Amino acid sequence: MTSASLQNSVITDISLAGEGHLKIDWVEAHMPVLNRIRKQFEAEQPFAGLKVTICLHLEAKTAYLAKVVQAGGAEVTITGSNPLSTQDDVCAALVEDGVTVFAKYNPDPSEFKALQIKALETKPDLIIDDGGDLVTLLESERPDLAATIRGGAEETTTGIIRLKALAKEGNLKFPMVAVNDAYCKYLFDNRYGTGQSAFDGIIRTTNLVIAGKTVVVVGYGWCGKGVAMRAKGLGANVIVTEVDAIKAVEAHMDGFHVMPMVEAAKQGDFFITVTGNKAVISGEHFDVMKDGAVLSNAGHFDVEVSKPAMLERSSSVRTVRRNIEEYTFKDGRKMYLIAEGRLVNLAAADGHPAEIMDTTFALQALGLKYVNDHYNELQATVVNVPYEIDEQVARFKLESLGIGIDTLSEEQIKYLDSWNA
Ligand SMILES: NC(=O)c1ccc[n+]([C@@H]2O[C@H](COP(=O)([O-])OP(=O)(O)OC[C@H]3O[C@@H](n4cnc5c(N)ncnc54)[C@H](O)[C@@H]3O)[C@@H](O)[C@H]2O)c1
């Protein structure tokens, strides 16, 4: 541990570090692509002398990404992107590894924001953001801290929507690489990662059976497709609700029931929102829900299930298990909300599997290197991950799996390039 990282950090308890190191060692052993990039970074030192501030769900996989960026020569500061997804033992281990950490499990909203601001006050050259938290703070509260920033990388769908809106107003101050929009991100992380880990959170929190139940998946984007696929695999009857006609047809062709939310609300035992939108389950839906319905959200913010509408209808709210709140409605029905409606896979479980975050964080590491190598040429806007980087991550992944693929012959290349061959 460096005394500077301990002195500067704000965490819950440094004595928890032992457990945190074990968690980080476990994910490191299951992230071969990132291990390879770490070796490359150790040799090339792409971030030598630079400060990097990371704002992500602060659990073991993220901690390992921080260590990979650090191995590339950066002085790394990290903060959490959700009050309930920060793991205190992982924070302590990172401090021992020389990373400055501003994060605690479940701080109150003002402390949560204060910790993020502290992470920006280190005046970073580069940032990694999730849901646009850091960029939003810079824009709305501390524009003075944006001056040193060359650029950064954004993790998720919701963040990219926000960054694009900011860029459209001409207010994004530096280039941000849209990691979420790379193939090796959304095809695997949003779909298979969210699909598996959302159920990990629901099952470990409720200890209830999924088979034979009706699961309502709200939103059939990349995350929704994964959640619906896994619900089907667990033996549920799956209903999908959508607002996009094309996605609704896709859900129908994939074998799911599709209907408006107000109809689905009457039938669901479990509800999982994955829209990136607000109040997708709200008053009129609660009014027709079955007694005992279990509600959860895997979208980025805790606004998808309308808590104000639940409270309005409730005579009492109590915690009945860790991460489950029981809302007793005035008409006697009980509704159960997991993890306060925050991302169920991160607030009530450990997030995506390590092998999934291996490719996502490989894109983060290489995306950050890309923005640093090219920040002088890039516009202050949302930038795609170059296809070569996306493909390189896929090739590293295949190699780590021991899977070979074919290559095009010269004759095939010519054939595919011609119109009359
Ligand atoms: N839990 C996780 O670990 C995790 C991982 C990746 C992304 N996310 C987050 O999950 C959310 C969804 O991400 P995505 O990549 O699937 O986005 P997406 O844009 O691919 O899909 C969102 C879908 O929701 C639909 N939708 C919007 N409003 C709706 C409404 N009122 N009712 C029904 N459907 C509605 C849209 O039409 C779209 O098809 C985002 O907030 C994203 O940041 C979470």
Side-chain angles (χ1 to χ4, degrees):
M1 165 168 45
T2 66
S3 56
S5 64
L6 182 58
Q7 238 170 30
N8 297 336
S9 295
V10 179
I11 60 167
T12 298
D13 183 358
I14 191 69
S15 74
L16 301 172
E19 195 64 30
H21 286 300
L22 290 175
K23 287 184 178 175
I24 299 169
D25 290 350
W26 173 259
V27 301
E28 180 179 343
H30 294 89
M31 299 180 94
V33 178
L34 212 47
N35 288 338
R36 185 169 174 159
I37 292 168
R38 180 183 185 154
K39 285 204 184 91
Q40 187 185 321
F41 280 6
E42 276 165 355
E44 295 170 7
Q45 294 290 291
F47 307 122
L50 298 180
K51 288 192 240 170
V52 176
T53 289
I54 299 175
C55 174
L56 287 170
H57 297 288
L58 219 173
E59 45 72 57
K61 280 97 63 183
T62 300
Y64 190 50
L65 171 66
K67 289 178 65 170
V68 170
V69 173
Q70 186 186 43
E75 198 180 305
V76 178
T77 299
I78 195 160
T79 184
S81 67
N82 185 303
L84 293 187
S85 65
T86 295
Q87 299 189 8
D88 287 327
D89 48 6
V90 169
C91 294
L94 272 180
V95 170
E96 282 201 346
D97 286 337
V99 173
T100 303
V101 182
F102 295 111
K104 289 172 168 183
Y105 175 74
N106 208 8
D108 67 40
S110 66
E111 190 183 9
F112 177 66
K113 198 207 276 181
L115 291 168
Q116 290 186 330
I117 290 177
K118 272 181 178 300
L120 285 170
E121 282 172 343
T122 57
K123 304 216 170 118
D125 301 282
L126 297 164
I127 60 169
I128 293 181
D129 205 359
D130 193 357
D133 274 17
L134 295 181
V135 173
T136 307
L137 272 179
L138 286 168
E139 181 57 24
S140 56
E141 300 198 20
R142 295 297 303 271
D144 58 305
L145 299 175
T148 55
I149 301 176
R150 296 177 175 183
E154 164 59 47
E155 172 78 4
T156 199
T157 319
T158 288
I160 289 168
I161 291 171
R162 295 185 159 203
L163 291 180
K164 284 187 175 160
L166 199 60
K168 203 168 157 193
E169 289 172 1
N171 285 327
L172 186 59
K173 306 283 187 309
F174 39 77
M176 286 293 288
V177 175
V179 168
N180 183 75
D181 292 355
Y183 292 108
C184 281
K185 167 50 164 86
Y186 65 81
L187 286 178
F188 313 128
D189 174 313
N190 300 33
R191 187 165 43 164
Y192 295 100
T194 311
Q196 177 167 322
S197 62
F199 278 104
D200 180 3
I202 292 166
I203 292 169
R204 75 163 86 164
T205 309
T206 63
N207 192 26
L208 294 174
V209 75
I210 306 292
K213 301 271 178 67
T214 297
V215 172
V216 179
V217 180
V218 188
Y220 202 65
W222 289 107
C223 294
K225 289 186 226 299
V227 172
M229 191 197 305
R230 289 296 161 252
K232 190 177 182 177
L234 286 164
N237 306 307
V238 184
I239 297 174
V240 169
T241 71
E242 250 300 342
V243 290
D244 179 312
I246 298 171
K247 305 260 178 67
V249 175
E250 191 183 8
H252 167 76
M253 298 290 241
D254 286 343
F256 301 116
H257 304 287
V258 179
M259 62 186 76
M261 187 61 211
V262 75
E263 291 303 318
K266 296 176 195 159
Q267 300 182 35
D269 299 301
F270 289 92
F271 293 82
I272 305 161
T273 56
V274 259
T275 66
N277 201 350
K278 68 180 288 198
V280 296
I281 302 183
S282 56
E284 57 172 332
H285 309 130
F286 295 124
D287 288 342
V288 296
M289 271 184 195
K290 292 198 278 193
D291 181 31
V294 178
L295 299 140
S296 60
N297 166 51
H300 190 76
F301 287 116
D302 60 342
V303 295
E304 304 211 10
V305 177
S306 172
K307 284 185 276 186
M310 289 185 86
L311 278 174
E312 216 174 88
R313 284 162 177 73
S314 297
S315 54
S316 65
V317 182
R318 62 178 185 145
T319 303
V320 285
R321 275 171 75 89
R322 182 175 154 85
N323 271 327
I324 305 185
E325 276 170 343
E326 176 193 76
Y327 287 71
T328 303
F329 282 8
K330 289 169 192 156
D331 62 12
R333 285 175 302 144
K334 292 180 193 303
M335 303 290 151
Y336 298 101
L337 179 64
I338 304 184
E340 300 170 13
R342 297 183 192 279
L343 294 136
V344 65
N345 57 327
L346 281 144
D350 289 313
H352 295 350
E355 299 98 322
I356 294 283
M357 294 316 288
D358 193 20
T359 41
T360 298
F361 284 165
L363 287 165
Q364 280 287 8
L366 295 177
L368 198 68
K369 178 179 179 313
Y370 172 78
V371 86
N372 186 49
D373 289 348
H374 299 278
Y375 73 97
N376 276 327
E377 310 133 41
L378 294 169
Q379 307 275 342
T381 186
V382 178
V383 180
N384 286 335
V385 174
Y387 183 74
E388 302 70 51
I389 292 183
D390 215 351
E391 208 209 7
Q392 186 185 30
V393 169
R395 288 196 179 277
F396 285 174
K397 180 73 182 170
L398 284 175
E399 270 177 43
S400 77
L401 294 167
I403 296 174
I405 58 170
D406 294 320
T407 47
L408 292 169
S409 67
E410 282 304 317
E411 193 186 351
Q412 288 170 332
I413 292 171
K414 264 195 209 142
Y415 179 77
L416 292 173
D417 278 349
S418 66
W419 64 273
N420 60 354

